[in-house]
Amino acid sequence: MDYIKNIDLNKDLQIETLQDLVSIKSVVSDPVTTREGELFPFGEGVQDAFACFLKKAKELGFETQNIDNYGGHVDFGQGTETVGILGHLDVVPEGEGWSFAPYSAAVSDGYIYGRGTLDDKGPMVAALYAMKALKDAGYEPAKKVRLIVGLDEETEWKGMEYYFARQPMPDYGFTPDADFPALNGEKGMMVFEIARKLPKQSGGLTLRSLNGGSATNMVAEKARAVVNSDSSETYSQIKELAAAFRTERGFKINTKGVGKSLEITVEGKSAHGAYPQAGVNAISVMMEFLGNLNFSSDELNVFFDFYRRYIGFDVNGKNLGCGFEDAQSGKLTLNVGLVHYDKGSITLNINVRYPVTVTEEQVYEGILPTLNEYDMGLIKVSGKPSVYMAPDSPMIKTLVGIYQKHTGDTESKPIVIGGGTYAKAAKNIIAFGGIFPGDEDRMHQKDERISIDRFMTMTKIYAEAIYQLTQEDFTFTEEE
């Protein structure tokens, strides 16, 4: 049964399918209700990508099901057990500074460029065509294969919650939304807000607005503040401070007059929120600079002091009281994804990834004393527990072995990551691909791209994974 040959035969069609999907801007937006009364819970863009994917799956000969536009699945084969492949079609905002239009799916130097090529449209298309290769080869799996399509993985996971409230969970499987050779664990995830109400400002230097970041799970690439003063001398001093800050610290900060106010902008470097050390957080740069100014509001000055002292550029939460780490998964990471000031209050939206031996409650217990000392409000937004599987478990060993067979890489080992995948959405699911060891990770960054060669290798890996996991004699137990 030469299903690998089928993958090579379908290469052009597979690339075309990915390009069609990438050309759709599927950033989650406000719900839309059509004239016919149909609800698109995650906006038109996500719905268009979802419809495109299901349509293509039907054209390839698979049965599909749409669960009220909250998610769906593509089925292959029959069986009392189900092997699940969980992925998503929504993407994070594209940001700026791309070499190619972010939804053009341009091909250059052996790469397909575009938002979602790696996260997660490319791997989802690879899984779909892996299923097609097996089906076309006449393979009849002993267990049902179900490719489950998520639609808001980058935000709140409401779609997957809705889906699993109406559909059974798979018995075991993988999500193609992280790294090879496999992930044997994921840190816990939590999102919370730190907020403080501020009195009305008057006289002297005042803050009119402050905004930064585009998503909780992204390192903020831009931040913008507008300040106001009756003194032109104050504006001159701020401009001089910004110039010195830029020269001495190397940060990209600029000022310019806007009417009777002064605008301050900062440009950082975006990165995935799970790896804040890989970026430069524009919010932290902005807060560091604003902390050097003397605002008329003492409460505002105290807030900037709090940020600089207890958050600042510390991406491991040590200063805030939650600097946990363990041998299995390393250090906690903390990312300030959003900041907003609306004259009545200032709010920070924070994303934390904590070690697999730590609990969400321990993190909150660590930060509360400092927040209470500064009279800060804490709003718990969401949380997902950690996932961990022993690296020598049969599931991990099987998938790693498949990766090694197709790449020749026997050095790379299973890892635990800070990123959160749909492995947290169902039991007995682990993340498996699609970034290869040593390749540049541009998820959530400008110029996201996927190598066409890697795209095809990934498909072959997934085809064999489906084949081996659906053998009658393969068993998975929760005790693993």
Side-chain angles (χ1 to χ4, degrees):
M1 183 178 61
D2 193 1
Y3 56 86
I4 297 297
K5 182 176 73 174
N6 291 338
I7 294 172
D8 294 328
L9 291 174
N10 290 319
K11 177 179 178 180
D12 291 343
L13 183 60
Q14 180 174 331
I15 291 172
E16 180 183 329
T17 298
L18 178 56
Q19 288 179 304
D20 288 344
L21 275 173
V22 171
S23 69
I24 301 170
K25 180 177 179 178
S26 52
V27 177
V28 171
S29 59
D30 292 336
V32 173
T33 301
T34 68
R35 292 180 179 179
E36 293 75 25
E38 185 178 10
L39 175 66
F40 300 160
F42 308 115
E44 291 187 15
V46 171
Q47 184 67 28
D48 288 346
F50 183 40
C52 175
F53 191 85
L54 292 187
K55 179 175 182 290
K56 179 56 65 175
K58 285 183 179 179
E59 291 173 354
L60 297 179
F62 295 107
E63 295 182 2
T64 67
Q65 187 169 358
N66 177 347
I67 308 301
D68 303 328
N69 296 328
Y70 279 86
H73 59 249
V74 179
D75 279 349
F76 170 41
Q78 302 295 326
T80 56
E81 286 186 285
T82 299
V83 175
I85 305 170
L86 286 67
H88 65 94
L89 300 178
D90 60 306
V91 299
V92 297
E94 64 275 13
E96 299 177 357
W98 287 66
S99 302
F100 302 91
Y103 301 104
S104 65
V107 176
S108 178
D109 297 326
Y111 290 89
I112 304 171
Y113 285 79
R115 179 60 85 222
T117 49
L118 274 176
D119 184 15
D120 187 33
K121 292 177 179 179
M124 283 291 281
V125 171
L128 178 64
Y129 277 84
M131 292 165 62
K132 174 177 170 55
L134 289 163
K135 181 174 71 69
D136 290 351
Y139 177 59
E140 296 181 3
K143 302 164 186 179
K144 179 186 291 184
V145 180
R146 174 162 285 180
L147 179 57
I148 300 173
V149 185
L151 301 178
D152 67 331
E153 192 270 350
E154 299 291 2
T155 52
E156 298 180 339
W157 293 28
K158 290 182 179 179
M160 198 58 74
E161 292 173 5
Y162 187 97
Y163 175 89
F164 280 130
R166 292 156 179 80
Q167 295 291 314
M169 288 191 178
D171 294 279
Y172 57 89
F174 63 88
T175 175
D177 192 22
D179 299 78
F180 287 119
L183 303 189
N184 66 300
E186 297 179 12
K187 292 179 179 178
M189 295 172 55
M190 54 194 291
V191 176
F192 58 90
E193 293 179 349
I194 295 175
R196 179 165 182 168
K197 292 184 178 180
L198 298 170
K200 184 178 180 180
Q201 302 175 71
S202 62
L205 180 64
T206 60
L207 181 67
R208 290 185 55 190
S209 65
L210 172 61
N211 291 284
S214 58
T216 304
N217 59 350
M218 295 177 68
V219 174
E221 186 175 22
K222 294 184 181 297
R224 177 180 182 270
V226 177
V227 300
N228 192 65
S229 174
D230 294 332
S231 170
S232 60
E233 182 179 349
T234 297
Y235 287 162
S236 296
Q237 292 173 349
I238 294 174
K239 291 177 181 179
E240 291 175 2
L241 284 171
F245 191 74
R246 181 169 57 246
T247 301
E248 295 170 6
R249 304 290 295 274
F251 295 128
K252 297 179 180 179
I253 183 168
N254 291 287
T255 60
K256 72 173 184 178
V258 179
K260 295 182 179 180
S261 301
L262 184 68
E263 177 190 68
I264 305 168
T265 57
V266 170
E267 181 180 348
K269 178 186 176 184
S270 182
H272 195 297
Y275 308 102
Q277 67 276 12
V280 177
N281 195 316
I283 294 172
S284 292
V285 175
M286 178 66 80
M287 301 295 268
E288 176 75 10
F289 179 73
L290 294 179
N292 292 320
L293 307 183
N294 185 23
F295 289 92
S296 60
S297 168
D298 290 337
E299 290 84 354
L300 192 58
N301 291 327
V302 167
F303 188 90
F304 292 140
D305 178 69
F306 158 79
Y307 191 101
R308 297 169 74 194
R309 183 176 299 183
Y310 294 103
I311 299 177
F313 298 97
D314 173 20
V315 297
N316 300 120
K318 182 178 179 180
N319 294 341
L320 194 56
C322 57
F324 299 102
E325 64 179 298
D326 62 22
Q328 294 92 328
S329 55
K331 295 181 178 181
L332 175 148
T333 61
L334 183 151
N335 177 62
V336 181
L338 300 165
V339 64
H340 177 67
Y341 169 69
D342 64 1
K343 296 185 180 180
S345 64
I346 189 166
T347 303
L348 303 171
N349 191 293
I350 297 176
N351 185 299
V352 166
R353 316 293 173 109
Y354 55 88
V356 298
T357 59
V358 174
T359 66
E360 181 177 307
E361 290 71 24
Q362 287 176 288
V363 176
Y364 282 127
E365 288 174 1
I367 68 176
L368 275 173
T370 299
L371 298 186
N372 291 336
E373 178 185 347
Y374 278 79
D375 195 25
M376 300 289 177
L378 173 67
I379 304 166
K380 299 178 181 179
V381 177
S382 63
K384 297 180 179 66
S386 62
V387 173
Y388 186 76
M389 191 181 297
D392 60 351
S393 66
M395 180 76 164
I396 298 293
K397 289 173 69 175
T398 295
L399 295 180
V400 170
I402 294 168
Y403 164 82
Q404 291 175 341
K405 173 184 173 181
H406 287 273
T407 64
D409 173 16
T410 59
E411 299 298 320
S412 300
K413 305 299 180 184
I415 59 173
V416 177
I417 67 164
T421 74
Y422 277 151
K424 291 183 171 74
K427 292 183 178 180
N428 306 332
I429 302 294
I430 66 162
F432 183 48
I435 297 177
F436 290 78
D439 287 0
E440 183 180 6
D441 179 2
R442 295 189 181 183
M443 285 186 180
H444 294 205
Q445 300 180 55
K446 64 184 179 182
D447 286 341
E448 181 180 349
R449 66 183 186 177
I450 189 169
S451 159
I452 293 175
D453 287 344
R454 292 297 207 195
F455 189 33
M456 304 315 298
T457 300
M458 181 193 309
T459 308
K460 295 171 184 177
I461 290 172
Y462 289 153
E464 183 158 352
I466 294 169
Y467 178 80
Q468 291 203 28
L469 296 180
T470 56
Q471 295 300 300
E472 192 170 357
D473 60 356
F474 183 88
T475 59
F476 182 99
T477 59
E478 292 189 34
E479 285 73 26
E480 291 177 348

